[in-house]
Amino acid sequence: MTAEQTGAPREPRAEADEREVSQECRAALEHLAELLDHAMADSDADVLRAHIEACDPCTEAADAEEHVRALIRRACVEKAPSQLRVRIVSQLVVRTSR
């Protein structure tokens, strides 16, 4: 019996979707950027990749993120002015030497 048939208020779909996401999926999605940036240990990346390959919602999320990143790469073809690049590098050197 549906919520309409019983007269019960309908649950907002976003809340229902959030509850349906497993803890493992939440962790996978939380670390997806690290995986795509190759910024995690190989063993952790292997575990995350295995979950994503076996989980349709996580596969869809990973595919969407990769698609967005590809669009951004294609759209951002300009190089930063050389003065800006020098300032950024010098700030990075200063911060890492602290």
Side-chain angles (χ1 to χ4, degrees):
M1 193 172 268
T2 66
E4 291 93 10
Q5 293 170 331
T6 63
R10 293 178 84 189
E11 184 175 273
R13 189 71 204 152
E15 289 177 24
D17 288 344
E18 187 174 309
R19 274 198 301 273
E20 292 171 8
V21 176
S22 74
Q23 190 65 26
E24 189 176 5
C25 291
R26 286 183 191 163
L29 297 175
E30 186 176 309
H31 295 286
L32 181 58
E34 291 173 67
L35 176 70
L36 296 176
D37 291 338
H38 308 284
M40 61 186 347
D42 289 340
S43 59
D44 294 335
D46 291 342
V47 170
L48 188 53
R49 269 190 221 96
H51 170 79
I52 289 170
E53 290 171 6
C55 176
D56 289 339
C58 289
T59 298
E60 289 177 22
D63 289 347
E65 181 67 20
E66 287 177 323
H67 181 74
V68 168
R69 286 170 176 244
L71 290 173
I72 291 170
R73 276 192 300 276
R74 280 185 282 193
C76 299
V77 292
E78 288 185 44
K79 287 191 173 184
S82 60
Q83 287 180 325
L84 176 61
R85 293 172 58 206
V86 168
R87 283 180 38 213
I88 291 170
V89 169
S90 66
Q91 287 296 316
L92 290 172
V93 169
V94 167
R95 290 179 187 212
T96 57
S97 64
R98 290 183 188 175

